[in-house]
Amino acid sequence: MNVYIEAAGSQSLRAQLRLRELILAGALAPGARIAELALVERIGVSRTPIRAALLRLEQEGLLQALPGGGYAVRVFSEREVADAIELRGTLEGLAARLAAERGVAPQALAEARAALAGIDAVLGQAALDDAQFQRYVACNERFHQLLHGMAGSAVLAREIERVVRLPFASPSAFVVQQADSPRARDMLIVAQDQHRQVLDAIERREGARAEAIVREHARIAQRNLREAMAAPQEGRAPGVRLVVPEPPAAVAAVQDAVPAPRRRGRPRRAIADRHS
């Protein structure tokens, strides 16, 4: 029985990973309805793991449940992605502050330094090719995972994990997109300096400083998002085709919704009524 449960769980995970890959690669068109039977043939598992994978990806935000049943590939506005990045920066900032206030074990700090040493090795190369960018991504994600655990809060770690699974909200979501940018190395150097600064703040038990640095660090991802949307490169940022620019009408609607500043003093009509 245990072997059967383990096998079923393995198939569900396989289906989930493969289905996510298909969505981000654009093999399933944005807004398209998901056909279960087609996925059974394409992924090579039964309908039960497929259904479990569909439910999981809906929870992650890549799919949306349809009113009549079934699922469709979600489409995201640029603002939604920016909000997800902002949320991740806020939660990571809280983790850094709590880590500084509560203290961190020397072993965790040593592991974080090792991850940063890996990034230093990448940035020390004369030229950054795709392999070097992938190495950067691996070390960067390792550092952020360690940062999430430093707070010693299972609740916070769980919420960060949830938001990082949102499309394009992970710390390295748009790094590879910038591989051909002449400013790529400069941006990575700035990010690495921020990594070291936040680690220093945590060691010095400076909670407010650690939180501020991490929240500023998330702004690099916001800039990468804007550049990816302005000049998308095929194959560089998987899933960027799921993001649509904010329509001018929507931006105007938000601007119109902002109330005009109040005038100081009494309204003119009230003044006129007083003298009538």
Side-chain angles (χ1 to χ4, degrees):
M1 182 66 176
N2 290 337
V3 174
Y4 175 79
I5 293 175
E6 183 178 349
S10 176
Q11 286 190 340
S12 296
L13 179 60
R14 174 189 167 193
Q16 177 186 335
L17 295 176
R18 179 57 178 150
L19 182 53
R20 185 192 292 118
E21 180 183 322
L22 290 172
I23 293 171
L24 295 180
L28 301 175
R33 186 185 182 93
I34 303 295
E36 283 188 16
L37 289 178
L39 290 178
V40 167
E41 296 179 2
R42 191 164 192 169
I43 299 178
V45 298
S46 65
R47 295 186 71 169
T48 298
I50 290 293
R51 287 172 178 170
L54 290 170
L55 178 60
R56 185 62 175 169
L57 291 181
E58 183 207 359
Q59 294 170 346
E60 290 187 14
L62 277 176
L63 299 177
Q64 63 182 30
L66 298 175
Y71 299 90
V73 179
R74 278 198 62 188
V75 177
F76 301 86
S77 71
E78 189 173 349
R79 182 179 300 158
E80 285 180 302
V81 177
D83 288 347
I85 294 172
E86 182 71 19
L87 179 57
R88 192 253 301 170
T90 300
L91 293 175
E92 285 189 326
L94 176 58
R97 177 167 64 82
L98 292 178
E101 293 174 352
R102 296 173 177 178
V104 177
Q107 178 62 28
L109 292 172
E111 291 178 3
R113 291 192 192 95
L116 296 185
I119 294 178
D120 285 338
V122 171
L123 297 179
Q125 299 295 317
L128 301 183
D129 56 17
D130 285 351
Q132 295 298 335
F133 273 94
Q134 294 295 344
R135 173 63 178 162
Y136 176 93
V137 167
C139 293
N140 185 51
E141 290 183 350
R142 175 60 177 160
F143 175 80
H144 280 264
Q145 288 170 356
L146 291 167
L147 176 63
H148 303 163
M150 287 180 183
S153 170
V155 172
L156 183 55
R158 185 167 59 248
E159 292 306 311
I160 293 176
E161 180 184 0
R162 181 178 302 173
V163 73
V164 165
R165 287 200 305 264
L166 293 173
F168 321 109
S170 72
S172 302
F174 291 98
V175 168
V176 180
Q177 167 77 17
Q178 308 305 315
D180 295 328
S181 169
R183 303 193 310 276
R185 183 187 293 273
D186 293 340
M187 293 176 67
L188 297 184
I189 289 174
V190 169
Q192 175 71 337
D193 182 65
Q194 290 174 336
H195 289 153
R196 294 202 175 279
Q197 290 297 323
V198 71
L199 204 58
D200 178 73
I202 290 173
E203 289 186 272
R204 294 175 181 272
R205 311 293 289 271
E206 298 172 349
R209 175 177 167 233
E211 182 174 21
I213 293 171
V214 171
R215 296 195 65 171
E216 182 65 26
H217 184 62
R219 294 183 181 275
I220 292 179
Q222 297 281 13
R223 177 169 24 169
N224 289 343
L225 167 63
R226 291 192 296 270
E227 293 191 2
M229 293 300 297
Q233 300 179 38
E234 187 68 26
R236 286 296 187 186
V240 73
R241 70 188 67 195
L242 300 180
V243 185
V244 296
E246 209 64 45
V251 176
V254 171
Q255 293 173 343
D256 292 340
V258 177
R262 278 189 176 183
R263 295 182 180 180
R264 295 183 178 180
R266 291 168 294 179
R268 290 187 177 182
R269 179 165 182 169
I271 298 175
D273 290 345
R274 183 178 174 184
H275 292 285
S276 59

